[in-house]
Amino acid sequence: MEKLIVKGKKKLSGVIRISGSKNATLPILAASILNKNKIEINRVPVVKDVITMVELLKHIGSNIKFDLKKKKIFIHNENRKLKTTAPYKLLKTMRAGVIVLGPLLSRFKKAKVSLPGGCAIGSRPVDIHLFVLKKLGAKIKIKNGYIFAETKKGLVGKRIRLPSISVGATENALIAASYARGTTYLSNCACEPEIQDLTNFLKKMGVKIKWIGNRKIKILGSQNLKPTIHKVMFDRIESGTFIIAGALTGKRLKVLGIETKILKKEISILKKMGVKLKVNKNDIIVLSSKNIKPVSINTQPYPGFPTDLQAQIMVLMTRANGISKIKENIFEKRFMHVPELNRMGAKIKILGDSSFIYGPQQLNGAEVMATDLRASVSLVLAGLAAEDRTIINRVYHLDRGYEKLETKLRKCRANIFRKN
Ligand code: UD1
C-alpha cells in the first residue's frame, strides 16, 4: 500500500495553482443525466472521486469521455438508452454517488441506487434526500441495501422545506426539480458555492432557477434542455489547505486561480490568528507568519467555517500561543485526526463535539494513519511543519480529493514523496 514520506521544516515558497472543485464536479456530472445533448465540462480535477463518478455514468450507459490531460469531460447521450441502477460496488467508496438518484428518477421515472457505504466521519444518513424526492412525487422503498424509487407520472414541482441543511440533499432536490413538471420552491437549502456552480450549470442547460435570499430556490423544471459548456469553479477546500500550509511553513506562497470573495470566513479567521495575507481578487499571497494567536471556531454550513477545513486549521492551532477551540457542528465523528496529531507531539483534548488545542507545541515526525480525506491532508500539513520525518499510511484517502498534492508541494520546495 502506498505511503507518503514528508521531511519537515522546509520553508515553502513559490506558486500553487488551484484545481477545479471536486464537490462541484460531482453533482454537475450527476445533472448531466438529465440532458441528451452535447455537454463539455472544463477544469475537471483528476481525482479518484471524479473518476468513480465517471465510471458510474459509464456503467449506466452514458457516452462519456474524460480527457485527463486537458481536464475536460465530454458527454453526448443522444439516442442512448441509459440504465437506472447505480450498484454498491461504485457507491461504497463515494457517498456522493447517491446524487444520481434525483436525476435518474426525474428523467426515467425510476431508479435503483445503492445505499452509500459507511463513513469514518459519522453515520451520514440519506433521509433528507429521500424526504424531498417523496415530496416531489416519488414512491420509495429500501430493500437489500438499495433505494428503489419510482414515480408513475413523473415528478411534479412542490413547495418543500428541507428539515435540516444538507449539501447533498439540496443538490439532489435541485437536480430532480430541474426536470420535474411545474415549479418547485425549496427552502432551508444549503448554499455552498458548489451548489451555486451547479445552479449555473443547470441554468446553462435551460432550466429557470432563481435563488431568493440565501436559503430558498425557485426552480421551473424543463424537459427541453440545451447543449452546454461549463467551467467548474475552483476548489475552495484545496485553496484553504494550501493557504494553511503557507501559514505553517511558508516564506512566500502564492495561491492562484481562486475567487477570494468566496473565502471570506477562512480569510477573516486566518487574519485573526495573525497570519500575514495579501488578498487580491483572484489570488492570495501568504507570508511568513510568526506569533500565531489562538482562536475559537465553529464549523457551520456556508457561509460559516467549513467542516472540510477543520482538521487542517487544527494543525495551525498547535502553533498558537494559547488554547484554541474547535466545535464541530456538522459531523459526529470528525476528530479522527486528533490521536494521530497527538502522536506527533500535539496537545489536543476532545470533549464531546469540541476539541481544545493547547499551543504552542513543536510537532515531531511519526508514522501515522490517514482515516478520511481531510484528516489525511492534515497529517501532511503536520508533517510539513514537524521536525524529522513523517510517514503517512493509507494515502488512498488523499487521492479521492486532492489533485497532484505532492507535485504541487514539491514545486514549492517541500520534501515529500510517495513510496509503495
Ligand atoms: C458535502 C460534501 C462534504 C462536506 C459536507 C458538509 C460533497 C461531495 N461532499 O457532503 O465534503 O463535508 O457537504 O459541508 O459535496 N444528513 C442527514 N440526512 C441526510 C443528509 C445529511 O442527517 O439525508 C446530515 C449528515 O449526517 C451531516 C449533515 O447532515 O451530519 C450535513 O451533511 P451534508 O451537508 O448532506 O453533507 P454531504 O452532502 O454528505
Side-chain angles (χ1 to χ4, degrees), residues 63-76:
N63 176 20
I64 176 168
K65 289 194 181 68
F66 191 177
D67 184 330
L68 301 178
K69 268 211 180 119
K70 293 191 177 147
K71 304 180 193 301
K72 281 174 186 277
I73 288 184
F74 301 94
I75 306 171
H76 192 193

Side-chain angles (χ1 to χ4, degrees), residues 34-262:
L34 299 180
N35 195 347
K36 57 183 180 352
N37 296 294
K38 276 189 184 161
I39 295 173
E40 179 185 319
I41 309 168
N42 296 307
R43 202 197 201 189
V44 179
V46 183
V47 296
K48 187 71 181 58
D49 274 7
V50 169
I51 290 169
T52 307
M53 185 56 106
V54 170
E55 277 172 25
L56 176 55
L57 293 180
K58 273 190 187 154
H59 173 90
I60 63 167
S62 176
N63 176 20
I64 176 168
K65 289 194 181 68
F66 191 177
D67 184 330
L68 301 178
K69 268 211 180 119
K70 293 191 177 147
K71 304 180 193 301
K72 281 174 186 277
I73 288 184
F74 301 94
I75 306 171
H76 192 193
N77 284 331
E78 202 163 15
N79 305 324
R80 281 188 82 109
K81 195 165 167 10
L82 300 188
K83 286 188 268 184
T84 53
T85 299
Y88 175 69
K89 67 172 190 232
L90 289 166
L91 264 78
K92 69 177 182 211
T93 56
M94 186 191 55
R95 268 191 51 88
V98 77
I99 43 176
V100 300
L101 179 63
L104 283 175
L105 176 67
S106 199
R107 179 151 176 226
F108 301 108
K109 301 194 174 80
K110 61 172 189 170
K112 175 184 168 190
V113 174
S114 167
L115 282 167
C119 183
I121 61 176
S123 63
R124 302 184 82 174
V126 291
D127 53 320
I128 309 170
H129 297 245
L130 305 187
F131 170 86
V132 279
L133 294 174
K134 279 184 193 160
K135 291 272 178 205
L136 289 170
K139 292 246 171 326
I140 294 182
K141 251 188 350 198
I142 303 221
K143 208 177 159 200
N144 308 121
Y146 277 84
I147 306 162
F148 292 82
E150 66 168 344
T151 166
K152 289 250 157 52
K153 293 185 181 157
L155 299 181
V156 181
K158 246 318 211 2
R159 281 183 185 269
I160 307 168
R161 183 180 165 81
L162 276 70
S164 64
I165 295 175
S166 154
V167 172
T170 302
E171 292 168 345
N172 232 332
L174 175 58
I175 302 171
S178 292
Y179 203 85
R181 272 180 290 129
T183 305
T184 300
Y185 288 89
L186 299 172
S187 56
N188 201 27
C189 294
C191 63
E192 266 57 7
E194 294 75 21
I195 306 178
Q196 305 292 345
D197 204 31
L198 169 66
T199 303
N200 292 338
F201 175 73
L202 290 164
K203 278 181 167 174
K204 286 182 194 167
M205 294 210 299
V207 186
K208 291 205 169 60
I209 304 175
K210 194 168 170 233
W211 279 77
I212 305 157
N214 250 1
R215 304 234 173 261
K216 197 165 179 184
I217 323 175
K218 178 183 176 190
I219 307 136
L220 178 61
S222 166
Q223 285 95 38
N224 191 11
L225 302 176
K226 297 186 286 199
T228 303
I229 299 181
H230 184 76
K231 184 176 173 195
V232 177
M233 69 171 283
F234 75 100
D235 195 309
R236 70 192 163 99
I237 306 302
E238 188 198 17
S239 320
T241 304
F242 284 124
I243 295 167
I244 293 171
L248 271 168
T249 64
K251 213 160 135 190
R252 191 178 196 277
L253 195 68
K254 186 171 183 178
V255 177
L256 273 183
I258 60 180
E259 268 181 86
T260 49
K261 66 170 195 266
I262 287 178

Side-chain angles (χ1 to χ4, degrees), residues 18-20 22 45-49 235-242 308-309 312 372-378 380-381 395-406 408-409 418:
I18 297 305
S19 301
K22 162 184 92 74
V46 183
V47 296
K48 187 71 181 58
D49 274 7
D235 195 309
R236 70 192 163 99
I237 306 302
E238 188 198 17
S239 320
T241 304
F242 284 124
D308 284 354
L309 276 178
Q312 298 89 314
D372 70 66
L373 172 56
R374 309 303 172 185
S376 46
V377 89
S378 77
V380 173
L381 295 183
V395 287
Y396 54 83
H397 288 295
L398 203 74
D399 298 332
R400 284 188 37 220
Y402 284 90
E403 187 176 55
K404 295 206 167 125
L405 180 85
E406 303 110 88
K408 288 187 182 187
L409 283 171
R418 199 175 274 241

